[in-house]
Each structure stands twice: as C-alpha cells, then as structure tokens.
Amino acid sequence: MNAIISASDLARDLAGARPPVLLDVRWQLTAAKAAGEPPFDGRAAYEAGHLPTAVFVDLDRELASAPGKGGRHPLPDLAHFGTAMRRAGVSAGTPVVVYDGGQGWAAARAWWLLRWTGHPDVRVLDGGLPSWEGPLDTSVPDPAEGDFVPEPGAGLLDADDAAALARSGVLLDARAGERYRGEVEPIDPVAGHIPGAVSAPTTENVGADGRFLPAWELRARFEGLGVSEGTRVGVYCGSGVSAAHEVLALAAAGIPAELYVGSWSEWSSDPDRPVAVGPDPR
C-alpha cells in the first residue's frame, strides 16, 4: 500500500462506499519569535477551515508526551494516544488519511505512530491542505467512537540503537545541513550530529510544491546516501517529527526504516554521548 495519497484520489475515496477517517494535524515548530508575535495555533487554523469531516489532532498533546529526558517530543502515553484516536473515530478496520498545513512533518508523525501501533491502512495527503481543491468546512464534527487499540510493533530506536546503527547500517540525520555540521543550533543545547550519521535533510525529499518526489527519484537519493538492498536504515532529527517525514519518504521509495524518536534533543542532553561536527559523518 502506498503511504501517500493525492488530493484527487482522496476526493474519490471520500465519495466512495468506504470513506477514510480524516485527521488534521496542523502544527509548526515553535522557536523564538519576535516580541508580541503569538505562536502558531493549530486548532485555530483548523477551526478557520478544514477538510470536511476532519478531526483536529494536537501533536504536542496527543502525539507526544511532555518534553523531558526523552527529548522535546517523546512518545505519547499509549493509553492517551489510543483515547485520542478513538475520539477522532479511528477504528482498526477503517482507512485513515492524515494531513497538515503542507510541510508534511506533523502528518508524518501521526502516520508513523498509527503504523507503529498496528493500524494497517494509513496514508498522508501529499502536499497537505494546500493541495486540496475542494471546499473547506468550519464545523467541528462529532464522529462515532472508534475501536482502535494501539499495540506497539517494531521500528523504534533508542539512543543506543541509533549509535549502533550508525556503525552497522545507515543512520540518516533529517535536520538542515547547517545543524548537522554544527554551524548553528537554534534549539538544542549542543550543536553537531551523532557520530557516523549521514546528513539527509528531509526538505530534499519534496519538490517546490511541497509534494514528494517520484519514488524512483527518492530511491536514487537514498542510494546516493549509502542505502542499498538489505541495508538497515534509521532516521533521527531534532525531536522525532521531521524524521518521521523522512521515514515516510523512505516508505514511498519502498525502503523500510526505523525512527529514533528521542533524536538530537535527547542525544544532546546527555553529556556522555559523543558529538561529531563538520560535514564528515565521523
């Protein structure tokens, strides 16, 4: 099953006999802002207009736990996550489509969590809300309670796993290149990357329109980064959000990959973890 869906295919499916549950996960990374500038409010954006029948899901509160030793976006409590998904109408036997404001990172986080916890049919709207050409709705739906119960599976890395994978397979760093090289670090306490990790900015997986590159281009890109048939692949970023988007890009290219959710925000908070700087992985 393809991990992404076009707006035209989504419109067709919504009009069909088995319409998917829609999840709106609009979110933006909150960094230092000019005095008086309010942070992005995903719920307000949702209430101003969303895809018909879509339910808002809060990334910070429902797709992650509070920041702490596990990083800025640790895994959510699975009971809390399951409650949120059932409230949104998610059932094990019903397809799910997730979208955000167009960047794709937040939608990919929801996609990864649902797939990791056992949902068999989840896709991300390619290009997000800007790709949708149909009408938007401002009403807040009240879907029937779903029955999805999350059951964790494979594909999750911790810090030790990531360190080992950087030596034995390919560990991709999905952050911007300047953060990987240690030239800047606007959020976390230490600049640089996990020794052995390969720089692979997730922004290079999409075109100018925010949609994923064709599968063959994505495969060629990852092959150029050292991924070959049978290679074990892991991905990390700052806090396990943009890295989920890279895992999604890898899935679109037919390449399975694992996610280090704690990512650099967890790694860099431990002074005993080694840090590499510069363009060289080591």
Side-chain angles (χ1 to χ4, degrees), residues 201-228:
T202 199
T203 52
E204 296 179 15
N205 294 322
V206 298
D209 59 0
R211 302 182 193 188
F212 281 102
L213 300 175
W216 68 268
E217 285 193 42
L218 290 171
R219 283 194 296 272
R221 181 189 184 219
F222 293 123
E223 287 172 1
L225 294 170
V227 177
S228 57

Side-chain angles (χ1 to χ4, degrees), residues 21-51:
V21 170
L22 292 181
L23 303 181
D24 182 312
V25 198
R26 271 178 276 181
W27 170 89
Q28 289 180 12
L29 179 65
T30 300
K33 293 181 177 292
E37 183 181 352
F40 177 79
D41 187 336
R43 183 174 292 277
Y46 165 83
E47 292 175 351
H50 54 81
L51 270 62

Side-chain angles (χ1 to χ4, degrees), residues 13-276:
D13 288 359
L14 287 171
R18 191 168 171 256
V21 170
L22 292 181
L23 303 181
D24 182 312
V25 198
R26 271 178 276 181
W27 170 89
Q28 289 180 12
L29 179 65
T30 300
K33 293 181 177 292
E37 183 181 352
F40 177 79
D41 187 336
R43 183 174 292 277
Y46 165 83
E47 292 175 351
H50 54 81
L51 270 62
T53 75
V55 176
F56 179 71
V57 175
D58 190 310
L59 186 148
D60 290 315
R61 294 176 176 84
E62 295 173 322
L63 304 182
S65 296
K69 291 182 64 177
R72 278 182 280 109
H73 289 105
L75 287 176
D77 174 81
L78 290 185
H80 180 66
F81 172 65
T83 297
M85 292 299 98
R86 291 189 293 274
R87 170 193 61 82
V90 175
S91 290
T94 304
V96 177
V97 173
V98 192
Y99 72 91
D100 58 24
Q103 188 178 45
W105 296 3
R109 172 73 175 223
W111 167 84
W112 181 85
L113 272 169
L114 281 165
R115 293 291 292 154
W116 176 64
T117 55
H119 198 288
D121 190 351
V122 190
R123 289 171 289 175
V124 170
L125 176 58
D126 197 12
L129 186 65
S131 71
W132 180 253
E133 297 181 354
L136 298 180
D137 195 0
T138 57
S139 63
V140 177
D142 184 19
E145 182 88 358
D147 64 16
F148 179 67
V149 177
E151 296 288 347
L156 177 67
L157 302 173
D158 62 18
D160 289 340
D161 295 332
L165 185 53
R167 297 188 296 268
S168 63
V170 175
L171 180 66
L172 301 176
D173 185 318
R175 298 173 301 159
E178 58 269 22
R179 290 183 69 190
Y180 169 88
R181 295 188 295 271
E183 297 165 3
V184 298
E185 183 43 68
I187 305 172
D188 294 313
V190 178
H193 60 268
I194 296 173
V198 177
S199 181
T202 199
T203 52
E204 296 179 15
N205 294 322
V206 298
D209 59 0
R211 302 182 193 188
F212 281 102
L213 300 175
W216 68 268
E217 285 193 42
L218 290 171
R219 283 194 296 272
R221 181 189 184 219
F222 293 123
E223 287 172 1
L225 294 170
V227 177
S228 57
E229 185 71 27
T231 304
R232 187 181 172 201
V233 182
V235 189
Y236 76 96
C237 59
S239 64
V241 178
S242 67
H245 189 268
E246 187 125 295
V247 173
L248 177 59
L250 284 152
I255 302 167
E258 299 166 272
L259 177 66
Y260 173 26
V261 171
S263 285
W264 189 249
S265 58
E266 179 187 43
W267 184 279
S268 62
S269 68
D270 183 347
D272 293 330
R273 294 280 179 193
V275 172

